């Protein structure tokens, strides 16, 4: 039976790389992003290669949009095997917390925590009913170490890590697995925003996919926190 992979933030950076990677591996996709035009272009390109895809534009930090995305996906596929909570925003910056706009602080914290919360809450019951499923949520080094001028983004990732640890503990008696993935520094728009004066080489997101293959196709203990660069190096040694 075809594996169904749901990906948030699928039109840019790592999300886009994941969509193409798993589509070309023969998986069926459910993808979302805020910008409808970008999402339509991605879906059309995937369909041109005969890759099954459900594409639903929306703000997954809103419960009603997450519910709609989940409902349309389940109506088409009847299940989700893998949920990849990839989407997040960086917010203004680099910026000291003393200078951080209050409204932006709220937006970043809410966006980055509510997206994985709402979608997981929609999909997890179907995984538990089948006693099978994988939820992978993206984190960052800034989710365990505070970095000056990374503002609300780093703080939101601390919250995300705690949330995933909580989910993992709550499903410990099932065959559903939760994982955190730190993709490391990559050549993305978000990295350019976070470190605009970066003067060293950055890998493209396509180089950081081995960790996802490992979690989906081989498996790790529920609740694990994986660093993509470690799996990239292991892949290079094979």
């Amino acid at each position: 039976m075809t594996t169904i992979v749901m990906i948030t933030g699928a039109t840019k950076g790592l999300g886009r790389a994941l969509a193409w990677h798993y589509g070309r591996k023969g998986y069926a996709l459910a993808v979302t992003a805020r910008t409808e035009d970008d999402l339509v272009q991605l879906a059309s390109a995937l369909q041109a290669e005969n890759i099954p895809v459900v594409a639903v534009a929306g703000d997954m930090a809103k419960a009603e949009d997450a519910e709609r995305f989940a409902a349309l996906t389940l109506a088409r596929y009847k299940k989700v095997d893998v949920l990849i909570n990839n989407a997040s925003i960086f917010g203004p910056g680099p910026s000291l917390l003393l200078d951080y706009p209050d409204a932006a602080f709220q937006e970043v914290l809410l966006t980055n925590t509510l997206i994985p919360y709402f979608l997981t809450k929609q999909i997890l019951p179907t995984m538990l009913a089948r006693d099978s499923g994988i939820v992978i949520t993206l984190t960052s080094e800034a989710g365990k170490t505070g970095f000056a001028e990374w503002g609300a983004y780093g703080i939101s990732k601390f919250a995300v890590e705690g949330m995933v640890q909580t989910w993992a503990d709550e499903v410990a008696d099932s065959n559903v697995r939760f994982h955190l993935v730190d993709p490391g520094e990559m050549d993305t728009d978000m990295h350019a925003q976070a470190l605009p004066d970066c003067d060293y080489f950055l890998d493209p997101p396509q180089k950081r996919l081995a960790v996802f293959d490992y979690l989906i196709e081989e498996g790790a203990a529920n609740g694990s926190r994986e660093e993509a660069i470690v799996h990239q190096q292991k892949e290079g040694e094979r």
Side-chain angles (χ1 to χ4, degrees):
M1 185 176 291
T2 303
T3 299
I4 313 301
V5 180
M6 174 180 270
I7 304 167
T8 64
T11 58
K12 295 181 180 179
L14 181 62
R16 186 178 183 87
L18 286 163
W20 279 109
H21 179 67
Y22 286 110
R24 286 170 170 162
K25 284 175 78 76
Y27 295 6
L29 304 176
V31 295
T32 187
R34 287 180 170 182
T35 306
E36 186 168 7
D37 288 346
D38 292 345
L39 193 65
V40 168
Q41 290 178 10
L42 174 63
S44 297
L46 291 165
Q47 289 166 347
E49 295 196 14
N50 296 315
I51 296 169
V53 58
V54 170
V56 180
D59 182 355
M60 296 303 122
K62 295 179 178 178
E64 60 270 26
D65 285 6
E67 182 177 1
R68 179 170 175 265
F69 180 37
L72 291 171
T73 298
L74 293 169
R76 168 78 176 273
Y77 297 129
K78 312 303 179 189
K79 64 168 185 167
V80 172
D81 296 293
V82 182
L83 167 59
I84 303 179
N85 289 311
N86 166 70
S88 64
I89 60 174
F90 186 77
S95 175
L96 295 172
L97 282 176
L98 276 175
D99 301 325
Y100 212 89
D102 293 345
F105 188 86
Q106 286 185 303
E107 180 188 14
V108 174
L109 258 65
L110 287 173
T111 298
N112 292 353
T113 54
L114 289 181
I115 290 175
Y117 172 74
F118 283 140
L119 269 179
T120 300
K121 196 172 183 180
Q122 287 293 323
I123 298 301
L124 181 58
T126 69
M127 291 181 169
L128 290 172
R130 296 171 48 239
D131 197 29
S132 176
I134 302 169
V135 181
I136 301 171
T137 302
L138 274 291
T139 185
S140 166
E141 181 68 18
K144 64 176 185 177
T145 303
F147 292 115
E149 300 188 336
W150 278 47
Y153 174 80
I155 296 167
S156 73
K157 290 300 183 180
F158 271 86
V160 165
E161 295 217 8
M163 178 166 54
V164 170
Q165 290 173 22
T166 302
W167 282 121
D169 197 46
E170 290 179 350
V171 304
D173 293 333
S174 77
N175 287 313
V176 177
R177 293 185 281 115
F178 277 79
H179 304 288
L180 287 157
V181 168
D182 174 4
E185 293 185 272
M186 302 176 290
D187 185 9
T188 63
D189 291 345
M190 181 180 287
H191 190 277
Q193 187 176 3
L195 292 174
D197 298 323
C198 180
D199 60 358
Y200 48 86
F201 175 79
L202 295 169
D203 282 326
Q206 291 81 357
K207 292 283 189 180
R208 300 294 166 83
L209 304 182
V211 62
F212 297 94
D213 284 348
Y214 165 71
L215 291 174
I216 295 170
E217 298 171 358
E218 298 181 39
N222 176 43
S224 74
R225 187 186 193 280
E226 310 287 337
E227 294 186 9
I229 190 67
V230 172
H231 291 268
Q232 179 181 345
Q233 292 168 346
K234 289 179 179 178
E235 187 73 13
E237 293 169 359
R238 293 183 182 177

